[in-house]
Amino acid sequence: MKIIKALNKSKAIEILQYLMNEDKSYFSEIVVITHSNSSTTYRALECLNEAGLVSRCEDGVKRNDKVYYNITNKGIKVMNLVKKIDDID
């Protein structure tokens, strides 16, 4: 149920679609691309990370270093299923 819960978060599918085409993306870039606020983006990314659909990485060792996200293999599989469901129309 973690996957379904994560996909139900606002902007989650849009985030995954964006990450499908990116090697990695910083949090601030995801906020801009999804036209969302930082709290909505943060909540979606946390759920996606907990479900194993994205991975969260820190760029460096300092507390203020940037955080970036990658889509996981599991996330790619889920997005392929979402695309198939969307194609049913």
Coordinates of all heavy atoms in Angstrom, one line a residue:
M1 N 0.8 -1.2 0.0 CA 0.0 0.0 0.0 C 0.9 1.3 0.0 O 0.3 2.3 -0.3 CB -0.9 0.0 1.2 CG -2.0 -1.0 1.1 SD -3.1 -0.9 -0.3 CE -4.3 0.3 0.2
K2 N 2.1 1.2 0.3 CA 3.0 2.3 0.3 C 3.1 3.0 -1.1 O 3.1 4.2 -1.2 CB 4.4 2.0 0.8 CG 4.5 1.8 2.3 CD 6.0 1.6 2.7 CE 6.1 1.5 4.2 NZ 7.5 1.4 4.6
I3 N 3.1 2.1 -2.1 CA 3.2 2.7 -3.5 C 1.9 3.5 -3.8 O 2.0 4.6 -4.3 CB 3.4 1.5 -4.5 CG1 4.8 0.9 -4.3 CG2 3.3 2.1 -5.9 CD1 5.1 -0.3 -5.1
I4 N 0.8 2.9 -3.5 CA -0.5 3.6 -3.8 C -0.6 4.9 -3.0 O -1.0 5.9 -3.5 CB -1.7 2.7 -3.6 CG1 -1.7 1.5 -4.6 CG2 -3.0 3.4 -3.6 CD1 -2.6 0.4 -4.3
K5 N -0.2 4.8 -1.7 CA -0.2 6.0 -0.9 C 0.7 7.1 -1.5 O 0.3 8.3 -1.5 CB 0.2 5.7 0.5 CG 0.2 6.8 1.5 CD 0.7 6.4 2.8 CE 0.8 7.7 3.7 NZ 1.4 7.3 5.0
A6 N 1.9 6.7 -1.9 CA 2.8 7.6 -2.5 C 2.3 8.3 -3.8 O 2.4 9.5 -4.0 CB 4.2 7.0 -2.7
L7 N 1.7 7.4 -4.6 CA 1.2 7.9 -5.9 C 0.0 8.9 -5.7 O -0.3 9.7 -6.6 CB 0.8 6.8 -6.8 CG 1.9 5.9 -7.3 CD1 1.4 4.8 -8.1 CD2 3.0 6.7 -8.1
N8 N -0.7 8.8 -4.6 CA -1.8 9.6 -4.3 C -1.4 11.0 -3.8 O -2.3 11.9 -3.8 CB -2.8 9.0 -3.3 CG -3.7 8.0 -3.9 OD1 -4.1 8.2 -5.1 ND2 -4.1 7.0 -3.2
K9 N -0.2 11.2 -3.5 CA 0.3 12.5 -3.0 C 0.3 13.5 -4.2 O 0.6 13.2 -5.3 CB 1.7 12.4 -2.5 CG 1.8 11.8 -1.1 CD 1.2 12.7 -0.1 CE 1.4 12.1 1.3 NZ 0.6 12.8 2.3
S10 N -0.1 14.7 -3.9 CA -0.1 15.8 -4.9 C 1.3 15.9 -5.5 O 2.3 15.9 -4.8 CB -0.5 17.1 -4.2 OG -0.5 18.1 -5.1
K11 N 1.3 15.9 -6.8 CA 2.5 16.1 -7.6 C 3.4 14.9 -7.7 O 4.4 14.9 -8.4 CB 3.4 17.3 -7.1 CG 2.6 18.6 -7.1 CD 2.3 19.1 -8.5 CE 1.7 20.4 -8.6 NZ 1.5 20.9 -9.9
A12 N 3.0 13.8 -7.1 CA 3.9 12.6 -7.1 C 4.1 12.0 -8.5 O 5.3 11.8 -8.9 CB 3.3 11.5 -6.2
I13 N 3.1 11.8 -9.2 CA 3.2 11.3 -10.6 C 4.0 12.2 -11.5 O 4.9 11.8 -12.2 CB 1.9 10.9 -11.2 CG1 1.3 9.7 -10.4 CG2 2.0 10.5 -12.6 CD1 0.0 9.2 -10.8
E14 N 3.7 13.5 -11.3 CA 4.4 14.5 -12.1 C 5.9 14.5 -11.8 O 6.8 14.6 -12.6 CB 3.8 15.9 -11.8 CG 4.3 17.0 -12.7 CD 3.6 18.3 -12.5 OE1 2.5 18.3 -11.9 OE2 4.1 19.3 -12.9
I15 N 6.3 14.3 -10.5 CA 7.7 14.2 -10.1 C 8.3 13.0 -10.7 O 9.4 13.1 -11.3 CB 7.8 14.2 -8.5 CG1 7.4 15.6 -7.9 CG2 9.2 13.8 -8.1 CD1 7.2 15.6 -6.4
L16 N 7.6 11.9 -10.6 CA 8.2 10.7 -11.2 C 8.4 10.8 -12.7 O 9.4 10.3 -13.3 CB 7.3 9.5 -10.9 CG 7.3 9.0 -9.4 CD1 6.3 7.9 -9.2 CD2 8.7 8.5 -9.0
Q17 N 7.4 11.4 -13.4 CA 7.5 11.6 -14.8 C 8.8 12.4 -15.2 O 9.5 12.2 -16.1 CB 6.3 12.3 -15.4 CG 5.1 11.4 -15.5 CD 3.8 12.1 -15.9 OE1 3.6 13.3 -15.6 NE2 2.9 11.4 -16.6
Y18 N 9.0 13.5 -14.4 CA 10.1 14.4 -14.6 C 11.4 13.6 -14.3 O 12.4 13.6 -15.1 CB 10.0 15.6 -13.7 CG 11.3 16.4 -13.7 CD1 11.7 17.1 -14.8 CD2 12.1 16.5 -12.5 CE1 12.8 17.9 -14.8 CE2 13.2 17.2 -12.5 CZ 13.6 18.0 -13.6 OH 14.7 18.7 -13.7
L19 N 11.5 12.8 -13.3 CA 12.7 12.1 -12.9 C 13.0 11.0 -13.9 O 14.2 10.5 -14.0 CB 12.6 11.5 -11.5 CG 12.7 12.6 -10.4 CD1 12.5 11.9 -9.0 CD2 14.0 13.3 -10.4
M20 N 12.0 10.5 -14.6 CA 12.2 9.5 -15.7 C 13.2 10.0 -16.7 O 13.9 9.2 -17.4 CB 10.9 9.1 -16.4 CG 10.0 8.3 -15.5 SD 10.3 6.5 -15.5 CE 9.9 6.0 -17.1
N21 N 13.2 11.3 -16.9 CA 14.1 11.9 -18.0 C 15.3 12.6 -17.5 O 16.0 13.2 -18.3 CB 13.2 12.9 -18.8 CG 12.0 12.2 -19.4 OD1 12.1 11.2 -20.0 ND2 10.9 12.9 -19.3
E22 N 15.6 12.4 -16.2 CA 16.7 13.1 -15.6 C 17.6 12.1 -14.9 O 17.2 11.1 -14.4 CB 16.3 14.1 -14.6 CG 15.4 15.2 -15.1 CD 16.1 16.1 -16.1 OE1 17.2 16.5 -15.9 OE2 15.4 16.5 -17.1
D23 N 18.9 12.4 -15.0 CA 19.9 11.5 -14.3 C 19.8 11.7 -12.8 O 19.7 10.8 -12.0 CB 21.3 11.9 -14.7 CG 22.4 11.0 -14.1 OD1 22.1 9.8 -13.9 OD2 23.5 11.5 -13.8
K24 N 19.7 13.0 -12.4 CA 19.4 13.3 -11.0 C 18.8 14.7 -11.0 O 19.0 15.5 -12.0 CB 20.6 13.3 -10.1 CG 21.7 14.3 -10.4 CD 22.9 14.2 -9.5 CE 23.9 15.2 -9.8 NZ 25.1 15.1 -8.9
S25 N 18.1 15.1 -10.0 CA 17.5 16.4 -9.9 C 17.5 16.9 -8.5 O 17.1 16.2 -7.6 CB 16.0 16.4 -10.5 OG 15.5 17.7 -10.6
Y26 N 17.9 18.1 -8.3 CA 17.9 18.7 -7.0 C 16.5 19.1 -6.6 O 15.6 19.4 -7.4 CB 18.8 20.0 -7.0 CG 20.2 19.6 -7.1 CD1 20.9 19.7 -8.3 CD2 20.9 19.1 -6.0 CE1 22.2 19.3 -8.4 CE2 22.3 18.7 -6.1 CZ 22.9 18.8 -7.3 OH 24.2 18.4 -7.4
F27 N 16.3 19.1 -5.3 CA 15.0 19.5 -4.7 C 14.4 20.8 -5.3 O 13.3 20.9 -5.7 CB 15.1 19.6 -3.2 CG 13.8 20.0 -2.5 CD1 12.8 19.0 -2.3 CD2 13.6 21.3 -2.1 CE1 11.6 19.4 -1.7 CE2 12.4 21.7 -1.5 CZ 11.4 20.7 -1.3
S28 N 15.3 21.8 -5.3 CA 14.8 23.1 -5.8 C 14.4 23.1 -7.3 O 13.4 23.8 -7.7 CB 15.9 24.2 -5.6 OG 17.1 23.8 -6.3
E29 N 15.0 22.2 -8.1 CA 14.6 22.1 -9.5 C 13.3 21.4 -9.6 O 12.4 21.8 -10.4 CB 15.7 21.2 -10.2 CG 17.0 21.9 -10.4 CD 18.1 20.9 -10.9 OE1 18.0 19.7 -10.7 OE2 19.0 21.4 -11.5
I30 N 13.0 20.4 -8.7 CA 11.7 19.7 -8.8 C 10.6 20.7 -8.4 O 9.5 20.6 -9.0 CB 11.8 18.5 -7.9 CG1 12.8 17.5 -8.4 CG2 10.4 17.8 -7.7 CD1 13.1 16.3 -7.4
V31 N 10.9 21.5 -7.4 CA 9.8 22.5 -7.0 C 9.5 23.4 -8.2 O 8.3 23.6 -8.5 CB 10.4 23.4 -5.8 CG1 9.4 24.6 -5.6 CG2 10.5 22.5 -4.6
V32 N 10.5 23.9 -8.9 CA 10.2 24.8 -10.1 C 9.5 24.0 -11.2 O 8.5 24.5 -11.7 CB 11.6 25.4 -10.6 CG1 11.4 26.1 -11.9 CG2 12.1 26.3 -9.5
I33 N 10.0 22.9 -11.5 CA 9.4 22.1 -12.7 C 8.0 21.7 -12.4 O 7.2 21.7 -13.3 CB 10.3 20.8 -12.9 CG1 11.7 21.2 -13.5 CG2 9.6 19.9 -13.9 CD1 11.7 21.9 -14.8
T34 N 7.6 21.4 -11.2 CA 6.3 20.9 -10.9 C 5.3 22.1 -10.5 O 4.2 21.9 -10.3 CB 6.3 19.9 -9.7 OG1 6.8 20.5 -8.6 CG2 7.0 18.7 -10.1
H35 N 5.9 23.3 -10.5 CA 5.1 24.5 -10.2 C 4.3 24.3 -8.9 O 3.2 24.5 -8.7 CB 4.1 24.8 -11.3 CG 4.7 25.0 -12.6 ND1 5.4 26.1 -13.0 CD2 4.7 24.2 -13.7 CE1 5.8 26.0 -14.2 NE2 5.4 24.8 -14.7
S36 N 5.1 23.8 -7.9 CA 4.6 23.5 -6.6 C 5.3 24.3 -5.5 O 6.3 24.9 -5.8 CB 4.7 22.0 -6.4 OG 4.2 21.6 -5.2
N37 N 4.8 24.2 -4.3 CA 5.5 24.9 -3.2 C 6.4 23.8 -2.6 O 6.3 22.6 -2.8 CB 4.6 25.5 -2.2 CG 3.6 24.6 -1.5 OD1 4.1 23.5 -1.0 ND2 2.4 24.9 -1.5
S38 N 7.3 24.2 -1.8 CA 8.4 23.3 -1.2 C 7.8 22.3 -0.3 O 8.2 21.2 -0.2 CB 9.5 24.1 -0.6 OG 9.0 24.9 0.5
S39 N 6.7 22.7 0.5 CA 6.2 21.7 1.4 C 5.4 20.6 0.7 O 5.5 19.4 1.1 CB 5.3 22.4 2.5 OG 4.2 23.0 1.9
T40 N 4.7 20.9 -0.3 CA 4.0 19.9 -1.1 C 5.0 18.9 -1.8 O 4.9 17.7 -1.8 CB 3.1 20.5 -2.2 OG1 2.1 21.3 -1.6 CG2 2.4 19.5 -3.1
T41 N 6.1 19.5 -2.3 CA 7.1 18.7 -3.0 C 7.8 17.8 -2.0 O 8.1 16.7 -2.2 CB 8.1 19.7 -3.7 OG1 7.4 20.5 -4.6 CG2 9.2 18.9 -4.4
Y42 N 8.1 18.4 -0.8 CA 8.8 17.6 0.2 C 8.0 16.4 0.7 O 8.5 15.3 0.7 CB 9.1 18.5 1.4 CG 9.7 17.8 2.6 CD1 11.1 17.5 2.6 CD2 9.0 17.4 3.7 CE1 11.7 16.8 3.6 CE2 9.6 16.7 4.7 CZ 10.9 16.4 4.7 OH 11.5 15.7 5.7
R43 N 6.7 16.6 0.9 CA 5.8 15.5 1.3 C 5.7 14.4 0.3 O 5.8 13.3 0.6 CB 4.4 16.1 1.7 CG 4.4 16.8 3.0 CD 2.9 17.0 3.5 NE 2.2 17.9 2.6 CZ 2.1 19.2 2.6 NH1 2.9 19.8 3.5 NH2 1.4 19.9 1.8
A44 N 5.6 14.8 -1.0 CA 5.5 13.9 -2.1 C 6.8 13.1 -2.2 O 6.8 11.8 -2.3 CB 5.2 14.6 -3.4
L45 N 7.9 13.8 -2.1 CA 9.2 13.1 -2.2 C 9.5 12.2 -1.0 O 10.1 11.1 -1.2 CB 10.4 14.1 -2.4 CG 10.5 14.8 -3.7 CD1 11.4 16.0 -3.7 CD2 11.0 13.8 -4.8
E46 N 9.1 12.6 0.1 CA 9.2 11.7 1.3 C 8.5 10.4 1.1 O 9.0 9.3 1.4 CB 8.8 12.4 2.6 CG 9.8 13.4 3.1 CD 11.2 12.8 3.4 OE1 11.2 11.9 4.3 OE2 12.2 13.2 2.8
C47 N 7.2 10.5 0.7 CA 6.4 9.3 0.5 C 7.0 8.4 -0.7 O 7.0 7.2 -0.6 CB 5.0 9.7 0.1 SG 4.0 10.0 1.6
L48 N 7.4 9.1 -1.7 CA 8.0 8.3 -2.8 C 9.3 7.6 -2.4 O 9.6 6.5 -2.8 CB 8.3 9.3 -4.0 CG 7.1 9.9 -4.7 CD1 7.5 11.0 -5.7 CD2 6.4 8.8 -5.5
N49 N 10.1 8.3 -1.5 CA 11.3 7.7 -1.0 C 11.0 6.5 -0.1 O 11.6 5.4 -0.2 CB 12.1 8.7 -0.3 CG 13.5 8.2 0.2 OD1 14.2 7.6 -0.6 ND2 13.8 8.5 1.4
E50 N 10.0 6.6 0.8 CA 9.6 5.6 1.7 C 9.1 4.4 0.9 O 9.3 3.2 1.3 CB 8.5 6.0 2.6 CG 9.0 6.9 3.7 CD 7.9 7.4 4.6 OE1 6.8 6.8 4.7 OE2 8.1 8.5 5.3
A51 N 8.4 4.6 -0.2 CA 7.9 3.5 -1.1 C 9.0 2.9 -1.9 O 8.7 1.9 -2.6 CB 6.7 4.0 -1.9
G52 N 10.2 3.5 -1.9 CA 11.3 3.0 -2.7 C 11.2 3.3 -4.2 O 11.9 2.7 -5.0
L53 N 10.4 4.4 -4.5 CA 10.3 4.8 -5.9 C 11.3 5.8 -6.3 O 11.6 6.0 -7.5 CB 8.9 5.4 -6.1 CG 7.7 4.4 -5.8 CD1 6.4 5.1 -6.0 CD2 7.8 3.1 -6.6
V54 N 11.9 6.6 -5.4 CA 13.0 7.5 -5.6 C 14.0 7.3 -4.5 O 13.7 6.7 -3.4 CB 12.5 9.0 -5.6 CG1 11.5 9.2 -6.7 CG2 12.0 9.4 -4.3
S55 N 15.2 7.7 -4.8 CA 16.3 7.6 -3.8 C 16.7 9.1 -3.5 O 16.7 9.9 -4.4 CB 17.5 6.8 -4.2 OG 18.0 7.3 -5.4
R56 N 17.0 9.3 -2.3 CA 17.4 10.7 -1.8 C 18.9 10.6 -1.5 O 19.4 9.8 -0.8 CB 16.6 11.0 -0.6 CG 17.0 12.4 0.0 CD 16.2 12.5 1.4 NE 16.3 13.9 1.9 CZ 17.3 14.4 2.6 NH1 18.3 13.6 2.9 NH2 17.3 15.6 3.0
C57 N 19.6 11.6 -2.1 CA 21.1 11.6 -1.9 C 21.5 13.0 -1.6 O 20.9 14.0 -2.0 CB 21.8 11.2 -3.2 SG 21.4 9.6 -3.8
E58 N 22.5 13.1 -0.7 CA 23.1 14.4 -0.4 C 24.4 14.6 -1.1 O 25.2 13.8 -1.2 CB 23.3 14.5 1.1 CG 22.0 14.4 1.9 CD 22.2 14.5 3.4 OE1 23.3 15.0 3.9 OE2 21.3 14.1 4.1
D59 N 24.5 15.8 -1.7 CA 25.6 16.2 -2.5 C 26.7 16.9 -1.6 O 26.6 18.1 -1.3 CB 25.2 17.2 -3.6 CG 26.0 17.1 -4.8 OD1 26.9 16.3 -4.9 OD2 25.8 18.0 -5.7
G60 N 27.5 16.1 -1.0 CA 28.5 16.6 0.0 C 28.3 16.1 1.4 O 27.4 15.3 1.6
V61 N 29.0 16.7 2.3 CA 28.9 16.2 3.7 C 28.4 17.3 4.7 O 28.1 17.0 5.8 CB 30.3 15.7 4.2 CG1 30.6 14.4 3.4 CG2 31.3 16.7 4.1
K62 N 28.4 18.5 4.2 CA 27.9 19.6 5.1 C 26.4 19.6 5.3 O 25.7 19.1 4.4 CB 28.4 21.0 4.6 CG 29.8 21.2 4.6 CD 30.1 22.5 4.1 CE 31.6 22.7 3.8 NZ 31.9 24.0 3.2
R63 N 25.9 20.1 6.3 CA 24.5 20.1 6.6 C 23.7 20.9 5.6 O 22.6 20.6 5.2 CB 24.3 20.8 8.0 CG 22.8 20.7 8.4 CD 22.7 21.1 9.9 NE 21.3 21.1 10.3 CZ 20.6 22.1 10.7 NH1 21.2 23.2 10.9 NH2 19.4 21.9 11.0
N64 N 24.3 21.9 5.0 CA 23.7 22.8 4.0 C 23.8 22.4 2.6 O 23.4 23.0 1.7 CB 24.2 24.2 4.1 CG 23.8 24.9 5.5 OD1 23.0 24.3 6.2 ND2 24.5 25.9 5.8
D65 N 24.5 21.2 2.4 CA 24.7 20.7 1.0 C 23.3 20.4 0.4 O 22.4 20.1 1.0 CB 25.6 19.5 1.0 CG 27.0 19.9 1.3 OD1 27.4 21.1 1.1 OD2 27.8 19.0 1.6
K66 N 23.3 20.4 -1.0 CA 22.1 20.2 -1.7 C 21.7 18.7 -1.7 O 22.5 17.8 -1.7 CB 22.2 20.6 -3.1 CG 22.3 22.1 -3.3 CD 22.3 22.5 -4.8 CE 22.1 24.0 -5.0 NZ 22.0 24.3 -6.4
V67 N 20.4 18.5 -1.7 CA 19.8 17.1 -1.8 C 19.3 16.9 -3.2 O 18.6 17.8 -3.7 CB 18.7 17.0 -0.7 CG1 18.0 15.7 -0.9 CG2 19.2 17.1 0.7
Y68 N 19.6 15.8 -3.7 CA 19.0 15.4 -5.1 C 18.3 14.1 -5.0 O 18.5 13.3 -4.1 CB 20.1 15.5 -6.2 CG 21.2 14.5 -6.1 CD1 21.0 13.3 -6.7 CD2 22.4 14.8 -5.4 CE1 22.1 12.3 -6.7 CE2 23.4 13.8 -5.4 CZ 23.2 12.6 -6.0 OH 24.2 11.7 -6.0
Y69 N 17.5 13.9 -6.0 CA 16.7 12.7 -6.1 C 16.9 12.0 -7.4 O 17.1 12.6 -8.5 CB 15.2 13.0 -5.9 CG 14.9 13.5 -4.5 CD1 15.1 14.9 -4.2 CD2 14.5 12.7 -3.5 CE1 14.8 15.3 -2.9 CE2 14.2 13.1 -2.3 CZ 14.4 14.4 -2.0 OH 14.2 14.9 -0.7
N70 N 16.8 10.6 -7.4 CA 16.9 9.8 -8.6 C 15.7 8.9 -8.6 O 15.2 8.5 -7.5 CB 18.1 8.9 -8.6 CG 19.4 9.6 -8.7 OD1 19.5 10.7 -9.2 ND2 20.4 9.1 -8.1
I71 N 15.2 8.5 -9.7 CA 14.1 7.5 -9.7 C 14.8 6.2 -9.6 O 15.9 6.0 -10.2 CB 13.2 7.6 -11.0 CG1 12.0 6.8 -10.9 CG2 14.0 7.3 -12.3 CD1 10.9 7.1 -11.9
T72 N 14.2 5.2 -8.9 CA 14.8 3.9 -8.8 C 14.2 3.0 -9.8 O 13.3 3.3 -10.6 CB 14.4 3.3 -7.4 OG1 13.0 3.2 -7.3 CG2 14.9 4.2 -6.2
N73 N 14.8 1.8 -9.9 CA 14.3 0.8 -10.9 C 12.8 0.5 -10.6 O 12.0 0.3 -11.5 CB 15.1 -0.5 -10.9 CG 16.4 -0.3 -11.5 OD1 16.6 0.5 -12.4 ND2 17.4 -1.1 -11.1
K74 N 12.5 0.4 -9.3 CA 11.1 0.2 -8.9 C 10.2 1.3 -9.3 O 9.1 1.1 -9.8 CB 11.1 0.0 -7.3 CG 9.7 -0.3 -6.8 CD 9.9 -0.5 -5.2 CE 8.6 -0.8 -4.6 NZ 8.7 -1.0 -3.1
G75 N 10.7 2.5 -9.2 CA 10.0 3.7 -9.7 C 9.7 3.7 -11.2 O 8.6 4.0 -11.7
I76 N 10.7 3.2 -11.9 CA 10.6 3.1 -13.4 C 9.5 2.1 -13.7 O 8.6 2.3 -14.6 CB 11.9 2.7 -14.0 CG1 12.9 3.9 -13.9 CG2 11.7 2.4 -15.5 CD1 14.3 3.6 -14.3
K77 N 9.5 0.9 -13.0 CA 8.5 -0.1 -13.3 C 7.1 0.4 -13.0 O 6.2 0.1 -13.7 CB 8.8 -1.3 -12.4 CG 10.0 -2.1 -12.9 CD 10.3 -3.3 -11.9 CE 11.6 -4.0 -12.3 NZ 11.9 -5.1 -11.4
V78 N 7.0 1.1 -11.9 CA 5.7 1.7 -11.5 C 5.2 2.7 -12.5 O 4.0 2.7 -12.9 CB 5.7 2.3 -10.1 CG1 4.5 3.1 -9.8 CG2 5.9 1.2 -9.0
M79 N 6.1 3.5 -13.0 CA 5.7 4.5 -14.0 C 5.3 3.8 -15.3 O 4.4 4.3 -16.0 CB 6.8 5.5 -14.2 CG 6.9 6.5 -13.1 SD 5.3 7.4 -12.7 CE 5.1 8.3 -14.2
N80 N 6.0 2.7 -15.7 CA 5.6 2.0 -16.9 C 4.2 1.4 -16.7 O 3.4 1.4 -17.7 CB 6.6 0.9 -17.2 CG 7.9 1.4 -17.7 OD1 8.0 2.5 -18.3 ND2 9.0 0.7 -17.5
L81 N 3.8 1.0 -15.5 CA 2.5 0.5 -15.3 C 1.5 1.6 -15.3 O 0.4 1.5 -15.8 CB 2.4 -0.2 -13.9 CG 3.1 -1.6 -13.8 CD1 3.1 -2.0 -12.4 CD2 2.4 -2.6 -14.7
V82 N 1.8 2.8 -14.8 CA 1.0 4.0 -14.8 C 0.7 4.4 -16.2 O -0.5 4.7 -16.6 CB 1.6 5.1 -14.0 CG1 0.8 6.4 -14.3 CG2 1.6 4.8 -12.5
K83 N 1.7 4.3 -17.1 CA 1.5 4.6 -18.5 C 0.6 3.7 -19.2 O -0.3 4.1 -19.9 CB 2.9 4.7 -19.2 CG 2.7 5.1 -20.7 CD 4.1 5.2 -21.3 CE 4.1 5.6 -22.8 NZ 2.9 5.5 -23.5
K84 N 0.7 2.4 -18.9 CA -0.2 1.4 -19.4 C -1.6 1.6 -19.0 O -2.6 1.5 -19.8 CB 0.2 0.0 -19.0 CG 1.5 -0.5 -19.8 CD 1.8 -1.9 -19.3 CE 3.1 -2.4 -20.0 NZ 3.5 -3.7 -19.7
I85 N -1.8 2.0 -17.7 CA -3.2 2.3 -17.2 C -3.7 3.5 -17.9 O -4.9 3.5 -18.3 CB -3.1 2.5 -15.7 CG1 -2.8 1.2 -15.0 CG2 -4.4 3.1 -15.2 CD1 -2.5 1.3 -13.5
D86 N -2.9 4.5 -18.1 CA -3.3 5.7 -18.8 C -3.7 5.5 -20.2 O -4.5 6.2 -20.8 CB -2.2 6.8 -18.6 CG -2.7 8.2 -18.9 OD1 -3.8 8.5 -18.5 OD2 -2.0 8.9 -19.6
D87 N -3.0 4.5 -20.9 CA -3.3 4.2 -22.3 C -4.6 3.4 -22.5 O -5.0 3.2 -23.6 CB -2.1 3.4 -22.9 CG -0.9 4.2 -23.1 OD1 -1.0 5.5 -23.0 OD2 0.2 3.7 -23.2
I88 N -5.2 3.0 -21.4 CA -6.5 2.2 -21.5 C -7.6 3.1 -22.2 O -8.4 2.6 -22.9 CB -6.9 1.7 -20.2 CG1 -6.0 0.6 -19.7 CG2 -8.3 1.2 -20.2 CD1 -6.2 0.0 -18.3
D89 N -7.5 4.4 -22.0 CA -8.5 5.3 -22.5 C -8.7 4.9 -24.0 O -9.5 4.9 -24.7 CB -8.1 6.7 -22.4 CG -8.2 7.2 -21.0 OD1 -8.9 6.6 -20.2 OD2 -7.6 8.3 -20.7

